[in-house]
Amino acid sequence: MAASPVAQMRTHRRILIASLIGTSVEFYDFYLRGADWLLPKPRHPSESWDLPEERADPASQRSQPSLG
């Protein structure tokens, strides 16, 4: 027994909506993972983002001779 055209239209609409939702979730997942990959991170979890004391204080740095 063949399904009515209205039932077929509902089935196609349901498939389309499910497909759009799934594609949106997958795109969002890949977008977040790509954005996370581009962000700078410490090389090791124990490393800190803070600069060492000798690099943070400009007065403690030795002046480099100029080439000019």
Side-chain angles (χ1 to χ4, degrees):
M1 185 169 172
S4 68
V6 174
Q8 283 183 345
M9 183 181 279
R10 285 183 187 160
T11 302
H12 287 276
R13 187 179 301 151
R14 244 180 117 175
I15 292 170
L16 178 66
I17 290 171
S19 171
L20 288 173
I21 290 172
T23 301
S24 299
V25 169
E26 284 294 320
F27 172 78
Y28 188 66
D29 179 45
F30 283 119
Y31 179 77
L32 285 179
R33 288 180 190 267
D36 180 52
W37 184 77
L38 291 174
L39 294 174
K41 296 173 193 62
R43 292 183 188 165
H44 192 271
S46 65
E47 290 183 11
S48 174
W49 285 101
D50 298 330
L51 291 174
E53 293 299 323
E54 61 272 1
R55 291 186 62 203
D57 184 15
S60 68
Q61 291 179 352
R62 296 181 186 164
S63 61
Q64 298 292 326
S66 63
L67 298 175

